[in-house]
Amino acid sequence: MARPTKESANLRTKTMRIRVTAEEEKQILLNARLGRFKSASEYLRHLGLGNRVKPFALNVDPELLIRIKGELGKIGSNVNQIARAYNRRAEGKITSVTDDDISNAMHSIDTMTRYLLKVLGYGD
């Protein structure tokens, strides 16, 4: 089934261009996603027409976020230690770091990232 056509008064035929810094673009895109807008254009059009955006509120236990933050810190520390040891190994020094250690660290990061995105409403 085809998409219904809009009335001529509702067609968007004009284009507006604005200049932003890389940081501003990143913030606009993030705000659009957090506001559950389909695109940055929709978000900016909404704001530009005088509408307000409801503040984004997480329905997440703050204790859970604190635990996640702690886990991410531990994983980051482990990755740094593995990277240091791996670099020593590349210099010909003997270390106990294996490719499995690196794979496990990367898997932990991927798992935690997927979980965090799910908690924030962006994952499956």
Side-chain angles (χ1 to χ4, degrees):
M1 180 195 258
R3 180 189 304 186
T5 57
K6 293 182 180 181
E7 296 178 28
S8 61
N10 291 333
L11 290 176
R12 293 191 175 103
T13 59
K14 301 293 183 185
T15 301
M16 296 180 70
R17 293 179 49 173
I18 62 170
R19 291 187 175 275
V20 294
T21 65
E23 193 57 39
E24 289 169 336
E25 178 188 37
K26 208 186 311 182
Q27 188 63 52
I28 289 169
L29 292 172
L30 176 64
N31 289 346
R33 264 186 272 134
L34 291 175
R36 309 261 187 219
F37 289 89
K38 294 176 188 168
S39 66
S41 294
E42 182 185 13
Y43 169 69
L44 292 172
R45 194 169 32 252
H46 184 83
L47 290 176
L49 294 173
N51 299 305
R52 292 179 169 237
V53 177
K54 292 179 185 176
F56 179 73
L58 284 176
N59 294 326
V60 178
D61 177 14
E63 290 293 321
L64 177 63
L65 290 178
I66 291 169
R67 286 200 329 253
I68 290 172
K69 183 179 181 285
E71 287 298 318
L72 287 172
K74 291 175 190 175
I75 292 169
S77 177
N78 289 343
V79 169
N80 283 337
Q81 290 173 13
I82 290 169
R84 262 189 243 114
Y86 189 81
N87 288 334
R88 284 190 209 111
R89 185 174 82 171
E91 295 168 356
K93 297 177 182 172
I94 298 173
T95 66
S96 61
V97 173
T98 65
D99 290 339
D100 285 341
D101 292 331
I102 295 169
S103 289
N104 290 338
M106 295 305 295
H107 178 72
S108 293
I109 292 169
D110 288 343
T111 300
M112 189 62 71
T113 301
R114 277 194 306 277
Y115 180 71
L116 190 54
L117 287 172
K118 183 178 180 180
V119 165
L120 294 174
Y122 295 104
D124 296 23

